[in-house]
Amino acid sequence: MISRCYLEITNICNLDCVFCPKTKRAGRSLSIEDFDLLTDRLRNEIKFLYFHLMGEPLMHKHLKDFILMAKDKGFIPVLTTNGTLIRQRAEALLEAHPHKIQISLHSHEGNGKEHPEEYIQHIMQYATRAAADGTIVVLRLWNQGGLDAANEHLLQLMEAYIPRPWTERYDGYKLLDNIYLEYDGVFEWPDAESEEYESEEVFCYALRNQIGVLVDGTVVPCCLDHDGDIPLGNLFQQSLSEILASPRARALYDGFSHHMASEPLCRRCGYAAVAKRFRKK
C-alpha cells in the first residue's frame, strides 16, 4: 500500500502566491462522479488521501461530500489550504471532520497582504474548535529564509487565542492538543529546464510512499509535479496497478532504488536538493 496520494480536486486557486509555480493547465474541478470513480480506483491502495496538489480545496463546493465519501471508503482525509476561506467553510469542515488540515500561513505574506488580524482570527477560531473535536491542525510557516518578515507579528496574534508557553518541538511548537505550528524553509519547485539543482545521484520516495493524481486523472510520481511533466497514465482509463507497472513508472522506481533519476524533472528537484529530503540511508 502507498502511504499517501495527493488528489487534486481542483487546480483553481483564489490567491497568487509568489512562491507557487502555478500551472499552465486549464482550470478544472472534479465532479462528484469523477471523485467517486477516482477514489474507487485508489481504494485499498492508498492510506492517506490529501486533497491538494495545485489549487485551493476550500473553493470546491463539494468539499464536505468529498471528505465524507473518502472516509466511507476507508481513506484518511487530509487538507492543505491557504486558509483565506476558512470562515466561509468552517461549519462544513467541522461537520465533515477531516483527520488533519494544514494551513499555509505564509500565503498571507506571499501575496503581499497587510493587516493579518482578521485572517488569523478566523483561522484560530476554527483551529480551536476543530482541535477540540479531534482534527489535527497544522499551522505552517514554510518561509524560513524567504518572506518571513511578518512571522513574529503572526505569532503575537496567535498568542491572543492560545497564550504561551507552547511546547517546543523539532519542527516548531505544539500550541495545544491537536494544534501545531510548523516551520520549514523555502524551496525551489522542480523545473526540468533549470540546471541549478541538477544532480546525478537522486533518491526519492515517489511511487514508494506517495503519488499524485491531477484533476484530469493523470497520475504523476509526486506532489511537486504540478504541471504533469511526468504523466504515468490516467486513472479515469486505467487501474492504479496498471499505471504503476508501466515502463515509465518502473524505470523511475528502479532508478531511485539505485540512487538515479530517470526523469530530468527529478534530477532538478529543488525541494530535495535544498531541504535534503528523500536521502536514503
Side-chain angles (χ1 to χ4, degrees):
M1 175 178 282
I2 294 176
S3 174
R4 66 184 79 168
C5 173
Y6 294 85
L7 177 58
E8 186 181 70
I9 63 172
T10 181
N11 62 1
I12 301 168
C13 189
N14 62 327
L15 293 184
D16 187 23
C17 298
V18 296
F19 52 79
C20 177
K22 318 297 188 297
T23 178
K24 297 186 287 289
R25 295 176 284 125
R28 178 172 171 173
S29 298
L30 291 180
S31 67
I32 288 182
E33 293 75 18
D34 289 341
F35 184 84
D36 192 34
L37 175 58
L38 292 177
T39 50
D40 273 350
R41 293 189 171 173
L42 293 168
R43 182 187 283 189
N44 300 322
E45 304 281 356
I46 302 295
K47 183 176 182 181
F48 293 94
L49 193 64
Y50 284 68
F51 289 18
H52 182 67
L53 206 147
M54 286 283 103
E56 171 50 56
L58 267 61
M59 292 184 69
H60 204 298
K61 63 182 180 180
H62 295 306
L63 179 60
K64 175 183 172 181
D65 299 312
F66 287 174
I67 296 171
L68 295 174
M69 289 169 68
K71 291 166 70 173
D72 286 344
K73 294 186 181 190
F75 298 103
I76 301 174
V78 180
L79 304 182
T80 300
T81 172
N82 58 47
T84 56
L85 302 175
I86 204 80
R87 179 175 62 87
Q88 296 93 316
R89 305 309 303 273
E91 295 306 320
L93 288 171
L94 289 165
E95 291 171 10
H97 193 247
H99 169 70
K100 180 164 67 172
I101 182 166
Q102 303 170 148
I103 304 175
S104 299
L105 301 181
H106 48 279
S107 64
H108 190 275
E109 191 168 3
N111 282 269
K113 293 183 180 294
E114 300 179 348
H115 311 297
E117 292 79 11
E118 187 176 10
Y119 173 70
I120 293 297
Q121 174 190 355
H122 295 152
I123 286 173
M124 297 305 292
Q125 287 175 344
Y126 165 76
T128 50
R129 293 177 66 192
D133 197 34
T135 293
I136 298 169
V137 181
V138 180
L139 307 173
R140 289 176 164 180
L141 284 172
W142 284 19
N143 57 3
Q144 305 303 289
L147 290 171
D148 57 2
N151 283 7
E152 190 58 39
H153 182 42
L154 294 180
L155 298 186
Q156 292 171 359
L157 294 174
M158 292 160 61
E159 283 187 81
Y161 299 90
I162 305 177
R164 293 186 191 246
W166 302 334
T167 303
E168 191 168 355
R169 289 165 40 89
Y170 70 96
D171 59 353
Y173 295 94
K174 176 181 178 182
L175 278 61
L176 206 63
D177 285 348
N178 291 328
I179 302 181
Y180 301 89
L181 174 64
E182 181 181 279
Y183 292 108
D184 210 334
V186 295
F187 61 89
E188 296 290 335
W189 287 69
D191 181 350
E193 303 302 319
S194 173
E195 297 182 0
E196 182 176 357
Y197 297 111
E198 186 166 7
S199 175
E200 293 296 325
E201 183 176 354
V202 179
F203 178 80
C204 181
Y205 287 104
L207 304 185
R208 281 172 161 77
N209 73 359
Q210 70 159 301
I211 60 169
V213 180
L214 303 182
V215 70
D216 67 353
T218 299
V219 174
V220 294
C222 78
C223 62
L224 298 182
D225 189 358
H226 58 92
D227 252 341
D229 290 318
I230 311 175
L232 302 176
N234 193 290
L235 204 59
F236 282 126
Q237 304 160 5
Q238 303 164 272
S239 70
L240 184 60
S241 59
E242 288 174 324
I243 293 170
L244 296 181
S246 69
R248 191 172 191 177
R250 290 310 311 171
L252 193 61
Y253 185 99
D254 293 341
F256 288 143
S257 297
H258 297 91
H259 290 222
M260 298 174 62
S262 62
E263 299 286 343
L265 188 73
C266 302
R267 292 195 292 271
R268 296 172 174 87
C269 181
Y271 185 75
V274 174
K276 306 300 183 186
R277 295 174 174 87
F278 308 145
R279 301 302 194 210
K280 190 174 179 67
K281 304 299 184 183

